Amino acid sequence: VIAGVWFGLPGAQALLDVRKSSRGGGSSCEPRRPKMAEVNAGKRSLDEPGAAAPAKIARAAPPADPRVKHALMLMVQNGDAQFTAMAQACDTNCSDADLRTCCKQTPDTLHFTLAEPMLNGQEAANLHLSSSAPELPVHLRLAGLKPWARCLAASVGEATADAVRAQYGRVQGWPAGLATPAPRKTDDLHLSMYRGHGRGPALGRLVPGMKKAVAALPQPAAGTARCGSVQGMRIAIKVMGAGYETARTLIVIGAVDEPADGIAGEGDGDVGSPAAADVPFPAAEVLVLAADVPVPAAMSNEPKL
């Protein structure tokens, strides 16, 4: 007789039947099924005083400074008269005051998203700008409106896109071993005026009227972009979805010279440097501030929230 221990339940014991093999005079051992009374006895043993509790699985503590998605932005301000007229037409045709408060990008939050890198807090703090040209501010012409249903955003031409990507090229201090996010393609670059922020369907019902109002504006003067122009003022970073008050402006490492007057990038008239009298050199570029927000829900290549 061979005695065995059945390990299926704590405290349950099972005997092994020894059965003579009908062939060759050998023997084989097969465990018998435990009776229900034995099973119940094993379950009751867990509730008895002094019964050992099942061992808990140790889990590793999460990192103190985990990598999360950040938004690296080129913040813009100082829209020209055509841009101001477009913004006013949109506001007038947004009849829902609460929606306007929720979805409108205020003048201090207007931006182009340059990249959405995964960084921890220290890595984000290490990013900075080189002092190489082209320096800020930079004049950026806007093209027409994006064909998105739940986001009102201006598109850009190739020259403006190149100027935006040139600013992204100034960003340095990326962590070792992390692939630098690729520059955004021209179709992905946009300047949002109204974004869903969780109310995409409601905004989508008003976007067609806003677009009609913009289309009805008087034709701009020769050489003026359909949606006007803005000035790129500073590059900023923050955790995706966090408030603008948490943002930090990337500082310049190296000497910062006053921008020279004149026109840069005259090739197709999309980009140029504004005269110093129109836009003073922004001291903010060498301070510490910043910005971004998530991007609206997609339709075609519409940005995601």
Side-chain angles (χ1 to χ4, degrees):
V1 177
I2 299 176
V5 178
W6 178 64
F7 294 99
L9 290 170
Q13 237 181 2
L15 296 177
L16 298 175
D17 282 340
V18 179
R19 297 190 300 179
K20 298 273 187 164
S21 173
S22 60
R23 297 183 180 179
S27 63
S28 64
C29 297
E30 298 178 357
R32 68 173 177 83
R33 292 185 178 181
K35 295 179 180 180
M36 187 56 67
E38 295 171 343
V39 173
N40 292 335
K43 290 181 179 179
R44 286 195 299 272
S45 67
L46 291 175
D47 300 327
E48 294 176 358
K56 294 183 178 180
I57 299 175
R59 299 184 183 277
D65 189 11
R67 282 180 171 171
V68 296
K69 183 179 287 188
H70 282 70
L72 187 64
M73 314 291 294
L74 174 59
M75 308 304 297
V76 306
Q77 292 180 355
N78 301 342
D80 64 6
Q82 185 69 17
F83 179 84
T84 301
M86 178 189 69
Q88 290 176 345
C90 293
D91 294 345
T92 301
N93 284 272
C94 184
S95 55
D96 187 329
D98 290 338
L99 196 67
R100 186 163 59 248
T101 300
C102 169
C103 300
K104 179 183 176 180
Q105 291 294 126
T106 56
D108 60 329
T109 65
L110 293 170
H111 61 268
F112 288 97
T113 300
L114 302 177
E116 298 176 0
M118 294 292 292
L119 303 168
N120 61 35
Q122 185 58 57
E123 290 168 342
N126 289 340
L127 295 185
H128 59 273
L129 300 181
S130 71
S131 59
S132 61
E135 295 171 351
L136 294 170
V138 59
H139 185 70
L140 304 170
R141 288 167 55 90
L142 303 174
L145 296 176
K146 285 288 192 181
W148 296 332
R150 299 180 180 182
C151 173
L152 189 76
S155 60
V156 297
E158 286 296 336
T160 294
D162 287 343
V164 172
R165 287 188 286 258
Q167 291 300 322
Y168 178 51
R170 297 177 62 199
V171 178
Q172 297 183 346
W174 296 101
L178 180 70
T180 305
R184 290 203 160 188
K185 297 179 180 179
T186 301
D187 283 347
D188 295 329
L189 288 171
H190 61 277
L191 182 68
S192 294
M193 307 291 295
Y194 277 80
R195 300 190 300 178
H197 294 302
R199 299 191 63 184
L203 179 60
R205 291 190 287 270
L206 298 179
V207 165
M210 294 182 187
K211 290 182 177 179
K212 288 181 180 179
V214 172
L217 291 173
Q219 288 295 320
T224 301
R226 180 62 187 163
C227 290
S229 61
V230 292
Q231 312 297 331
M233 304 298 287
R234 60 190 177 92
I235 295 177
I237 189 169
K238 77 174 189 64
V239 172
M240 182 68 77
Y244 285 92
E245 69 279 3
T246 67
R248 181 184 69 86
T249 295
L250 272 60
I251 63 172
V252 175
I253 302 298
V256 179
D257 299 323
E258 292 292 331
D261 290 344
I263 299 299
E266 293 179 303
D268 61 2
D270 269 8
V271 184
S273 295
D278 298 328
V279 183
F281 184 73
E285 190 183 0
V286 293
L287 296 180
V288 177
L289 286 168
D292 174 68
V293 291
V295 193
M299 193 162 208
S300 157
N301 62 341
E302 187 173 345
K304 296 180 180 179
L305 279 172

